[in-house]
Amino acid sequence: MRKPQQLRNRELVLLIFAMALTLGAFVLVQFGAIGELDTKVLGVVGIMCVLAFALHIVLRIRASQADPFLVPVALMLTGIGTAMIYRLDLAYVAHWNVGTSNAGEHQMLYAALSIALCIGLVWSLANYRVLFKYTYIFGFLGIILLALPFIPFLNGGGNAVVWISIFGFNFQPGEIAKICLAIFFAGYLVRTRESLTSTGKRVLGFTFPRAREFGPLLVIWLISMAIIVLQRDLGTGILIFGMFVAMLYVATGKTGWVLIGVFLAGAGAVAATFVMPYVHGRFEQWLHALDDDLYNASANASFQLVNGLFGMAHGGMFGTGLGQGRPDITPVAGSDYIIPSLGEELGLVGVFAILALYLIFASRGAHVGVAGQDDFGKLLSVGLSFTIALQVFIMVGGVTRVIPLTGLTTPFLAAGGSSLLANWLIVAILLRVSDAVRRQPRAVIG
């Protein structure tokens, strides 16, 4: 077992590198876009870095054996994404006759708030197993959060019923709901794993569960389909169902659950394509993106998708350089299409580096679960890590036309305070679980 001091020192070195990269990205954006430095903006970025350093100090005091890679990777992704959103603000002002655009400033403030909340959770959550006691409360809370946008005086508008508005601030409760549901799934599967792993029927070499154990999977599938139908939110429905199937497989080790999950997901997607016009439109954009009529259509056009692809193609291998491309040509370049924006200015090499950071984050989170002996911690960490990985796959696959695009945010990178807050809370939970795992005397730590 590595000494706590070595872990924190490694984290400090990586954190300094992440801070330097974040500040460097903002400097390059300003020189590339406007040819001068705005020290006020750099000051706000500095506050974000100071808070990240404060998180490091708190880890030394309260969770000295936590994983040393999670915070630097999360900060690096947050810094790169915030720099690109700020860069797009500069482009909108310069090229689109927009008086002011302050999405970048808002993202910086949300980043600072998110890191502060991460600090608070790490400090206060002395034992993550306390979450296990409230398994069903978290499940109920997750459902309530998903239902909040249906309350008329809270609904924040938009095509998808996923936003609430409180005192002028928009928030997406589904981002917090996924954490609550991950806690519920982990606790539920720990309690019912014996019945779920009972002998079933073998078909073509695979063991399929009995009908009475099939119920929980069917219920979660129905909830996911209800989200897709009622909220018009294909992404969240897929995310929640995928998270549950992954945790179910880890809990039982049965391949049959995965096969049934894939079949249900495919059947649901096909049914939604035929029944729901907006889902059908997403598939049309995916299959016929370069069709002239679809590109110029007034509704469900592929203009956005194609321009994102053109932007990445323009970036080539090494990109145009931060602040020197035109990612603002693609609509919503700072949220759904943040990856094409970064691909244009950082190139294929930069995108691969970003995907490598996600791979490190997800693998470290999964490693936390595998190394631990507590089933609840194992399922929770694997579930949260898989959620991040699946979200990245859905978004990167959508903007690169590997799969149909759905309405999710790219974790840590894309504009959106709700997503950023939720992702940094995930970081806090993973830090707490990893610290507890390393304190177990018989845990195998790689």
Side-chain angles (χ1 to χ4, degrees), residues 158-211:
N159 293 327
V161 189
V162 297
W163 294 94
I164 62 174
S165 180
I166 301 177
F167 301 114
F169 293 96
N170 286 338
F171 189 78
Q172 191 171 351
E175 292 290 342
I176 305 299
K178 69 184 181 184
I179 299 177
C180 295
L181 291 175
I183 296 171
F184 166 71
F185 292 155
Y188 172 80
L189 291 172
V190 167
R191 287 179 167 89
T192 60
R193 184 172 59 177
E194 292 299 325
S195 62
L196 292 172
T197 54
S198 57
T199 304
K201 295 182 179 180
R202 290 188 64 83
V203 179
L204 299 177
F206 297 103
T207 302
F208 289 88
R210 294 177 301 182

Side-chain angles (χ1 to χ4, degrees), residues 219-367:
V219 169
I220 299 301
W221 179 75
L222 290 173
I223 292 174
S224 301
M225 290 303 299
I227 293 171
I228 295 173
V229 173
L230 298 176
Q231 293 191 337
R232 296 174 53 87
D233 188 5
L234 180 64
T236 300
I238 293 174
L239 191 66
I240 291 174
F241 184 70
M243 175 174 63
F244 181 71
V245 171
M247 295 172 72
L248 186 59
Y249 172 73
V250 173
T252 64
K254 283 191 171 184
T255 309
W257 286 114
V258 178
L259 295 177
I260 293 175
V262 171
F263 171 77
L264 287 175
V270 172
T273 302
F274 285 102
V275 175
M276 306 183 66
Y278 92 96
V279 176
H280 178 74
R282 293 293 176 91
F283 273 84
E284 285 294 309
Q285 293 172 32
W286 174 50
L287 294 172
H288 309 291
L290 299 177
D291 184 273
D292 286 341
D293 293 334
L294 189 60
Y295 180 83
N296 296 301
S298 57
N300 292 322
S302 62
F303 173 84
Q304 187 180 30
L305 175 61
V306 172
N307 271 273
L309 294 172
F310 286 166
M312 287 187 286
H314 181 230
M317 184 65 70
F318 300 103
T320 60
L322 284 173
Q324 299 184 36
R326 287 300 308 274
D328 52 290
I329 295 176
T330 303
V332 293
S335 53
D336 290 6
Y337 282 79
I338 190 75
I339 287 293
S341 299
L342 290 165
E344 179 174 352
E345 299 202 340
L346 298 180
L348 185 63
V349 172
V351 172
F352 278 1
I354 290 170
L355 294 180
L357 290 175
Y358 281 121
L359 182 62
I360 293 171
F361 187 93
S363 63
R364 296 307 297 184
H367 176 74

